[in-house]
Amino acid sequence: MAAAGSAVGLGNIWGFPTQAASNGGAVFLMVYLLMVFALAYPLLVAELTIGRYGNADPITSLRKVWPQQKALMGLVGLAGMIAVSLILSFYAIVAGWLLGYLLAPICEAAGLVSLAHWLETFGSGRNLVLMLIFMWLTVMVVRSGVADGIEKWSTRLMPVLLLLFVVMVIYILTQDGAWAGLRLYLVPDFSHLSPKLIVSAMGQAFFSLSLGVCTMMVYGSYLSKSANLPKTAAQVALLDTGVAFIAGMLILPAMFVAQHNGVVIYDESGALLASDTLVFSVLPTMFDTMGPVGMIVGILFFVLMIIAALTSSISMLEVPVSCAIEELNLKRHTAVWWIGGFICVISAVIVFNFDALFGRVVTMTTAYAQPIIGMIFALLVGWIWHRDKVLQEIRKGYPAVESSLFWRIWPWYVRIVCPVLMLLVFFVQ
Ligand code: PFF
């Protein structure tokens, strides 16, 4: 459940629907699903397996897999750490917007109208303050150690989140204009298929499953030896994809309802306007149309999403922190404050150069760094790590694995198919 908590977050409610709406809806959904099951799931098993085998921070785990190449493995771990820190630095900005949309109606109800307006209006000052608050929350949780708390939070969060989504989907589909959004989401128009769409869908799948940046390796190291790795990975992938799918059923129709009500969401060239923030401006508009219950639904929604974002941001910060604790012998407390502070500085640089940096950092990390580092993990498991050792590790929680369909396919799949598929995606560009 903690791994599911890492996977389910802004990627599902913000990243996926925004990308789907920008890339032709149903076609993006189809390619995304293909990427999740054909590429991301096998790599999730690989990353979790390396982590549980290593039973240590990612750098040590990678070195256990290839002991002859300690320096190279250190570099791979470092690349993952840099990528995940950059992801957290933009993630905290977006999560800060959620805080703003949660607090704004409360301030308004309390008569603090200008504060409410400030919280909802895009600006460097607001982005900075909210980002710092979110980072502070993340630091506070990671400081107290990850393993126990998160699982409880995630277990409680998921059913409520899913239920709330279902209720909101039913509501939005009763509104004028919603069906046009649903049609875009579910009826494919293949003229949208393009190399860019395929790369975006691959990046989104890696982002959503927290792959290629050592996060799942760290969480693998926290798994018990009796956990069935292929099954755990399948549960995480299914839950994450389920939440993304339902979020799409909500957000795309909500965008079209807003359009029906006079909000311009696409420009003349068909590109999504203000795409980074669109989800967060469309949803409050929807809550406003719900009458008195709208405020309660809105608050519940944003609280749940902030918790979901926190269970993801915690998993990101845990990567460099676990390395600093084990490799540099730092105390958890010291490591968390220094690394958290450093990420705040990077995040502040992005805040003050938003137009130039935000989109670039998102693309660089999710569409390139995550798949490329993920491919390195696949190559390690497929070519370097001895097959018997991989088998031994998986067998601990899945004694019958050797005779399973999974074992007949997966080893050569990560060895050949995953790297080839990924290279193809990059080459067709
Ligand atoms: N999977 C998270 C989401 O969908 O919001 C984002 C994420 C978490 C990416 C952890 C990378 C990571 F290491």
Side-chain angles (χ1 to χ4, degrees):
M1 283 314 283
S6 168
V8 174
L10 295 172
N12 305 65
I13 180 79
W14 166 75
F16 172 74
T18 308
Q19 296 250 27
S22 312
N23 288 299
V27 185
F28 185 84
L29 172 65
M30 285 168 65
V31 179
Y32 175 75
L33 291 177
L34 192 78
M35 288 294 172
V36 168
F37 293 103
L39 252 185
Y41 168 70
L43 292 186
L44 179 57
V45 180
E47 212 174 315
L48 286 172
T49 310
I50 298 178
R52 198 182 62 178
Y53 170 77
N55 194 19
D57 71 283
I59 293 186
T60 307
S61 297
L62 287 165
R63 285 179 174 160
K64 282 189 186 165
V65 168
W66 201 2
Q68 297 81 356
Q69 291 289 343
K70 287 211 158 62
L72 186 64
M73 291 301 95
L75 279 181
V76 174
L78 193 68
M81 237 175 305
I82 295 173
V84 85
S85 304
L86 285 172
I87 292 176
L88 182 52
S89 67
F90 78 72
Y91 205 82
I93 301 175
V94 182
W97 297 339
L98 287 175
L99 282 171
Y101 283 109
L102 169 69
L103 297 174
I106 300 175
C107 290
E108 204 168 291
L112 303 166
V113 180
S114 53
L115 180 59
H117 181 69
W118 181 78
L119 283 168
E120 277 181 332
T121 314
F122 193 91
S124 302
R126 172 201 75 153
N127 288 353
L128 183 73
V129 172
L130 294 176
M131 174 277 284
L132 287 172
I133 299 175
F134 184 78
M135 278 304 293
W136 179 77
L137 290 172
T138 305
V139 161
M140 293 319 274
V141 183
V142 177
R143 206 185 57 156
S144 57
V146 174
D148 359 306
I150 298 176
E151 188 129 32
K152 280 186 214 121
W153 276 107
S154 304
T155 316
R156 281 178 207 144
L157 169 80
M158 296 298 171
V160 188
L161 192 65
L162 279 171
L163 190 70
L164 184 69
F165 271 149
V166 171
V167 172
M168 284 163 58
V169 169
I170 294 171
Y171 172 77
I172 201 70
L173 291 181
T174 63
Q175 302 297 299
D176 289 341
W179 289 88
L182 198 65
R183 196 169 320 115
L184 174 71
Y185 187 47
L186 297 177
V187 183
D189 168 0
F190 289 98
S191 67
H192 289 284
L193 197 63
S194 68
K196 181 186 151 276
L197 182 148
I198 297 173
V199 175
S200 304
M202 181 168 82
Q204 180 57 36
F206 275 75
F207 179 62
S208 200
L209 283 177
S210 314
L211 289 176
V213 284
C214 305
T215 299
M216 287 302 179
M217 217 176 269
V218 175
Y219 275 24
S221 77
Y222 298 154
L223 271 176
S224 92
K225 292 287 178 198
S226 63
N228 179 331
L229 292 168
K231 191 169 153 202
T232 303
Q235 286 166 337
V236 172
L238 281 173
L239 195 67
D240 184 67
T241 310
V243 175
F245 178 75
I246 300 179
M249 296 269 289
L250 169 70
I251 308 282
L252 273 85
M255 285 178 180
F256 278 73
V257 171
Q259 190 178 44
H260 181 84
N261 294 337
V263 180
V264 185
I265 57 171
Y266 289 102
D267 67 14
E268 307 90 60
S269 70
L272 211 55
L273 281 172
S275 56
D276 298 331
T277 51
L278 190 63
V279 170
F280 304 119
S281 50
V282 162
L283 286 177
T285 324
M286 181 186 93
F287 299 133
D288 284 346
T289 65
M290 288 178 157
V293 287
M295 183 164 161
I296 299 165
V297 178
I299 290 178
L300 186 62
F301 173 81
F302 283 116
V303 167
L304 289 174
M305 279 321 299
I306 289 165
I307 300 173
L310 261 176
T311 55
S312 301
S313 63
I314 290 160
S315 72
M316 296 182 214
L317 187 56
E318 186 63 16
V319 175
V321 165
S322 71
C323 283
I325 294 173
E326 290 182 41
E327 301 291 322
L328 306 173
N329 276 326
L330 287 184
K331 287 214 173 68
R332 175 168 279 273
H333 184 270
T334 319
V336 170
W337 279 110
W338 274 104
I339 297 168
F342 181 65
I343 291 172
C344 284
V345 173
I346 308 176
S347 199
V349 173
I350 300 177
V351 164
F352 288 109
N353 300 280
F354 193 87
D355 290 338
L357 290 182
F358 184 81
R360 285 207 177 97
V361 175
V362 175
T363 312
M364 214 170 67
T365 50
T366 61
Y368 295 97
Q370 289 195 279
I372 291 170
I373 303 172
M375 177 161 75
I376 297 177
F377 296 157
L379 292 174
L380 275 175
V381 171
W383 295 88
I384 306 295
W385 206 1
H386 201 285
R387 221 175 136 130
D388 288 344
K389 287 207 168 137
V390 186
L391 181 64
Q392 250 173 36
E393 187 54 44
I394 299 182
R395 204 192 264 146
K396 286 177 185 153
Y398 186 2
V401 64
E402 213 172 345
S403 55
S404 68
L405 182 65
F406 173 82
W407 190 252
R408 241 170 282 155
I409 299 174
W410 182 78
W412 66 264
Y413 196 89
V414 271
R415 187 181 166 105
I416 296 166
V417 182
C418 286
V420 169
L421 262 180
M422 227 178 280
L423 283 178
L424 272 181
V425 171
F426 282 123
F427 272 119
V428 287
Q429 284 235 60

